[in-house]
């Protein structure tokens, strides 16, 4: 999503919330199964590589498997299924691991981080305009420091 506005995705109907949670759990489990399958295939190629050198077609297949698993992991990390906050409030509130804590939660698009956060993190960290502005100032400060470092590095290279 490329929106520059905060977007809240909220479901009030308990039946729809259960359906959404069920679909998210199914997606989570299917992604886990696929990643496990891809890792198993990658391991087979690695074991072959220890006994003999891989052929060109095996190397291509192995790199394809790595690329596919990387893309799937990246899609999962950027999806609405999980909160991108490092320390997520839903983990504490729901007493679940990070992978499962937000599967039943409403989510909010965070344009500052360009990712989805759970409603609990939103209410704790970003609800007021002052909190949003303070966070944006921190991000801008970090960007300015990066630019200064890059300029310094160019001058000293």
């Amino acid at each position: 999503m490329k929106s520059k506005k905060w977007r809240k995705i909220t479901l009030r109907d308990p039946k729809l919330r259960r359906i959404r949670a069920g679909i998210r759990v199914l997606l989570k489990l299917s992604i886990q199964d696929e990643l496990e399958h891809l890792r198993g295939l990658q391991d087979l190629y690695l074991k072959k590589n220890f006994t003999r050198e891989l052929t060109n077609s095996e190397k291509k297949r192995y790199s394809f498997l790595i690329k596919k698993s990387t893309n799937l992991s990246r899609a999962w990390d950027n999806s609405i299924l999980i909160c991108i906050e490092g320390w997520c409030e839903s983990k504490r509130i729901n007493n679940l691991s990070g992978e499962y804590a937000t599967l039943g939660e409403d989510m909010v698009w965070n344009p500052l981080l360009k990712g989805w956060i759970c409603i609990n993190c939103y209410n704790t960290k970003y609800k007021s305009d002052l909190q949003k502005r303070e966070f944006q100032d921190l991000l801008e400060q970090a960007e300015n420091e990066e630019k200064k470092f890059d300029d310094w590095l160019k001058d000293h290279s």
Side-chain angles (χ1 to χ4, degrees):
M1 186 175 210
K2 294 183 180 183
S3 176
K4 293 183 181 183
K5 294 182 181 179
W6 292 78
R7 300 270 185 221
K8 215 184 281 189
I9 308 295
T10 307
L11 293 178
R12 291 190 179 15
D13 186 358
K15 287 181 182 178
L16 289 176
R17 292 177 71 84
R18 279 194 304 274
I19 291 169
R20 177 187 63 194
I23 290 171
R24 286 180 176 177
V25 167
L26 286 173
L27 284 169
K28 166 75 176 137
L29 293 174
S30 66
I31 289 171
Q32 278 180 331
D33 285 347
E34 182 65 16
L35 285 172
E36 208 171 288
H37 175 71
L38 291 170
R39 286 186 192 114
L41 292 174
Q42 290 172 19
D43 287 344
L44 289 174
Y45 282 106
L46 284 176
K47 286 176 186 173
K48 273 186 181 181
N49 197 25
F50 283 130
T51 58
R52 62 170 174 79
E53 189 165 335
L54 297 177
T55 65
N56 285 339
S57 63
E58 288 173 332
K59 288 178 184 177
K60 285 180 184 177
R61 178 73 174 146
Y62 179 69
S63 64
F64 172 77
L65 291 171
I66 290 175
K67 190 175 189 178
K68 190 173 180 181
S69 62
T70 302
N71 289 342
L72 187 57
S73 294
R74 190 174 293 130
W76 168 257
D77 292 340
N78 295 327
S79 73
I80 194 171
L81 301 174
I82 59 170
C83 180
I84 61 167
E85 282 292 328
W87 190 83
C88 179
E89 281 294 309
S90 293
K91 291 179 193 178
R92 185 182 60 79
I93 292 170
N94 297 332
N95 200 24
L96 294 169
S97 71
E99 298 175 343
Y100 295 99
T102 59
L103 291 177
E105 298 291 335
D106 292 327
M107 302 297 274
V108 179
W109 172 253
N110 182 337
L112 303 174
L113 296 175
K114 294 177 179 66
W116 293 96
I117 59 172
C118 68
I119 195 73
N120 296 317
C121 286
Y122 174 76
N123 288 335
T124 304
K125 300 174 184 175
Y126 305 103
K127 193 166 188 173
S128 74
D129 287 335
L130 178 63
Q131 287 171 310
K132 289 176 189 173
R133 242 181 280 116
E134 286 175 354
F135 187 73
Q136 182 144 15
D137 290 345
L138 283 173
L139 286 177
E140 288 173 1
Q141 181 181 359
E143 285 177 15
N144 288 338
E145 288 176 5
E146 259 184 58
K147 285 180 184 177
K148 285 180 185 177
F149 177 73
D150 289 341
D151 292 342
W152 177 84
L153 193 58
K154 286 177 187 175
D155 291 343
H156 292 84
S157 294

